[in-house]
Amino acid sequence: MRRWRWLETGLRRVRQGWLPVVEATLAATIAWMLATRLVGHPQPFFAPAAALIVLGQARGQRTRRAVEVVLGVAAGVLVADLVVQALGPRTTWTVFTVILLTVTLAVAIGASSVSVVQAAVSALYLVVVSPPTESLVPFRFVDALIGGAVALAASQLIDARRPLAPLVAEFRQTFRELGDLLEEIAAALDHDDERAALAALERARRADAAVQRLRDAVLAAGEAVRLNVRRRRHLGRLRSVDASIRQIDYVVRNVRVLARAGVTLTRHPAAIPADLPTAVRGLAEAVRAGGEALAADLTGADTDADRHAARAEEAALTAVRVAGRLFLPRPTLPLAMIIGQVRATAIDLLRGLATDDDPTVLDRVDEAIGLATR
């Protein structure tokens, strides 16, 4: 039974991760073919190796890391080729000289520690394993450059037509999950269920990972857009979204505090106001509409973006209004905390949706909750 479960898990992982497998396989094979047929190198090991190293970098950092890795590996290969021809292969002095020069060169160009190691290992392989060449033409240096160039080209093919599509999908998923979390908190409050409230809190503590995924997706989209001249008009939208993520991070933190206060409230002997779950559900609706607004803005659907943003604001202000009516004289501390977090979440959500730092957001929210404004 355990064997079948392992097989099922493995097949699921393959279904989810088949694209990088195909990408790496094709890039390495094409790099090998180009190095063999164009350069005429009979054993172009470093062409597919460089392609695999570059594709191993995370999307969003791939261009910068790719240039760094290609230069580091190619320089290591070039240094090793020259030193082997001068001192001979497989000697202690050759190993010492190659490692010293390769690491020094990689550090001098500001390579990361990972790239320094990759360059040194590539050079060391050339000294210890690969036979030396008699030609003065640096075949292996050219092979590494070919592999890196093929990897860069391959990494852009997936996002060539729709470079923002993965980011749009990530926004929708993040806001949908956050809305579901708020619904879970509301259900726990509705039934005064401490166990359900604790489960919601545990889920809220893991929500930071979603914000990091958004940041990574923005980096990846920015890389794809910059390398695609015809798509660079999207850069302005990406800068706007990047600024919104800070507010989204605040929203996630507010929801986590709200979930913690919900646990405390379910442990309190006082009855939970019937309208409190309604306010939290209104906030969930606002979050979902906000995610649709940001996704529509990324795709250039301005009319839809405005419509969803208006729906998000209406739902957020309604949630704040309902929560404000529960702030009676001498409320319990956890109730006061939840009301405060409903207000804070609405403020940060609406600021994240604003095209600029709208100074009236705070006034609109405070007016809805019943606080006096200046």
Side-chain angles (χ1 to χ4, degrees), residues 89-347:
R90 304 182 183 93
T91 69
T92 302
W93 278 112
T94 303
V95 172
F96 173 82
T97 304
V98 164
I99 293 177
L100 176 63
L101 291 178
T102 304
V103 172
T104 301
L105 182 61
V107 171
I109 65 175
S112 67
S113 58
V114 174
S115 298
V116 171
V117 172
Q118 288 168 340
V121 169
S122 299
L124 190 60
Y125 173 85
L126 182 60
V127 173
V128 177
V129 180
S130 182
T133 61
E134 300 297 331
S135 173
L136 293 178
V137 178
F139 283 120
R140 296 177 175 101
F141 176 78
V142 176
D143 290 343
L145 291 178
I146 290 174
V150 170
L152 277 178
S155 67
Q156 298 309 310
L157 289 178
I158 297 174
D159 301 328
R161 295 187 61 186
R162 300 175 63 200
L164 300 184
L167 178 58
V168 171
E170 194 63 58
F171 259 106
R172 288 198 167 111
Q173 179 181 347
T174 298
F175 279 79
R176 184 167 57 248
E177 289 176 357
L178 197 56
D180 291 345
L181 172 57
L182 285 165
E183 290 281 3
E184 195 173 325
I185 296 171
L189 294 174
D190 224 356
H191 298 93
D192 201 359
D193 188 339
E194 180 183 343
R195 182 176 297 180
L198 284 169
L201 175 58
E202 185 61 32
R203 183 176 175 182
R205 286 171 174 160
R206 298 193 300 266
D208 287 335
V211 177
Q212 188 56 50
R213 288 199 309 268
L214 272 181
R215 290 195 175 102
D216 292 342
V218 169
L219 288 175
E223 180 181 72
V225 168
R226 287 185 183 91
L227 290 175
N228 190 328
V229 177
R230 292 180 299 175
R231 305 287 179 177
R232 287 185 180 175
R233 65 182 184 277
H234 294 309
L235 283 174
R237 296 184 188 277
L238 281 177
R239 293 190 188 100
S240 175
V241 167
D242 194 30
S244 298
I245 289 181
R246 182 178 60 182
Q247 297 299 141
I248 296 167
D249 189 20
Y250 295 156
V251 170
V252 169
R253 297 182 191 185
N254 291 331
V255 172
R256 185 164 58 245
V257 175
L258 194 155
R260 188 178 297 115
V263 172
T264 306
L265 191 59
T266 57
R267 291 174 174 171
H268 199 275
I272 297 176
D275 284 342
L276 187 59
T278 302
V280 177
R281 287 193 178 94
L283 208 54
E285 182 184 347
V287 165
R288 292 194 187 100
E292 292 298 324
L294 288 170
D297 182 62
L298 276 171
T299 59
D302 294 336
T303 302
D304 288 342
D306 291 342
R307 178 169 55 83
H308 289 304
R311 186 161 60 88
E313 177 165 347
E314 181 182 356
L317 294 181
T318 299
V320 168
R321 202 171 289 116
V322 171
R325 290 199 294 264
L326 303 176
F327 200 79
L328 303 174
R330 303 183 67 179
T332 62
L333 179 60
L335 177 59
M337 288 179 64
I338 291 179
I339 294 171
Q341 290 307 312
V342 169
R343 172 183 175 272
T345 304
I347 291 171

